[in-house]
Amino acid sequence: MKRLWFPLLLGLTGVALLCSLGVWQLHRLAWKEALVADIAARIAAAPGPLPATPDPERDQYRPVTVAGAFEGQEAHVLTSLPGRGPGFRVISVLETGERRLLVDLGFVPEAQKETPRLARQAVVTGNLFWPPVSTSAPPPDAERGIWFADDPQAMAAALGAEPVILVAREIAGADLGTTPLPVSPTGIRNDHLGYAVTWFGLAVVWAAMSAWLVWRSLRRPA
């Protein structure tokens, strides 16, 4: 029996460890699903007025309605849409009379980058959003007016506006020729179920290999 202790200990320890990792991923799955549900509820809430001092922690995804004028000051973020090809997300300044806000108007094809998007009075309903700033994206091309990632602080400094982006889901009172790309929780990664299945699968494989090792030890002559 002495020669069985090592394969048994190795097998039980490995299976216990792998199963614990699978259970941990199931807990992470429940946490992520609750987080996504909370974000979805915040996005779909009834829109209200713009806060006096928007806060990235408190007001992320807050739905608001704001009225103002678009006077053509824009930043263009390189992107593409399935079925539409390459183009730009248009970040435009909304002048309310008291404040200057960055509004993500949505997508335009490459050929419409320089098309004027002007409105004397528009009403924008959407969600406040502070995107994570990419550290790997190249700096904006100032000569061509092209950005390669969202950067509210830098865009606000370039356009003389507040460093918060209102992502439009509806624009009333003006046809600006853009396709709105509303904030949605569907892009939030949730791979924890796949990770859990992987860990539990490895536990099964480990148990099978351990059983085979025990079987070989039993068949080995004393």
Side-chain angles (χ1 to χ4, degrees):
M1 290 296 294
K2 289 183 179 180
R3 60 186 174 183
L4 296 180
W5 282 112
F6 177 72
L8 283 173
L9 180 62
L10 183 66
L12 292 174
T13 302
V15 169
L17 177 61
L18 292 168
C19 285
S20 68
L21 289 171
V23 171
W24 176 67
Q25 286 295 338
L26 290 178
H27 288 308
R28 294 284 293 173
L29 173 64
W31 166 80
K32 181 58 74 69
E33 288 178 339
L35 175 65
V36 171
D38 177 67
I39 291 173
R42 290 165 66 183
I43 291 173
L50 183 72
T53 55
D55 178 81
E57 295 294 329
R58 182 192 64 218
D59 297 317
Q60 181 78 302
Y61 306 113
R62 177 191 287 269
V64 300
T65 297
V66 184
F70 291 106
E71 299 176 346
Q73 294 174 288
E74 297 178 345
H76 305 102
V77 184
L78 188 65
T79 189
S80 64
L81 279 187
R84 298 283 301 273
F88 298 93
R89 280 183 32 253
V90 179
I91 312 297
S92 184
V93 174
L94 180 69
E95 175 64 65
T96 71
E98 299 177 348
R99 304 171 69 172
R100 289 169 58 83
L101 309 174
L102 297 176
V103 177
D104 185 338
L105 297 178
F107 176 84
V108 294
E110 281 186 299
Q112 297 178 20
K113 175 178 178 291
E114 303 301 333
T115 300
R117 281 168 282 273
L118 307 174
R120 298 181 63 181
Q121 185 67 18
V123 179
V124 180
T125 299
N127 299 86
L128 301 182
F129 186 59
W130 286 263
V133 178
S134 172
T135 57
S136 59
D141 185 334
E143 184 176 340
R144 294 190 297 161
I146 296 175
W147 295 67
F148 300 97
D150 286 327
D151 188 337
Q153 291 285 348
M155 289 177 174
L159 297 174
E162 294 184 34
V164 56
I165 296 177
L166 170 58
V167 182
R169 66 171 182 248
E170 181 181 343
I171 304 170
D175 182 5
L176 302 176
T178 60
T179 301
L181 302 174
V183 175
S184 169
T186 56
I188 299 175
R189 291 187 60 181
N190 187 2
D191 300 326
H192 297 296
L193 179 59
Y195 294 150
V197 170
T198 299
W199 288 123
F200 287 129
L202 288 173
V204 172
V205 172
W206 191 279
M209 292 177 63
S210 300
W212 177 80
L213 187 58
V214 169
W215 177 79
R216 282 198 60 185
S217 298
L218 289 173
R219 288 179 57 87
R220 188 181 306 160

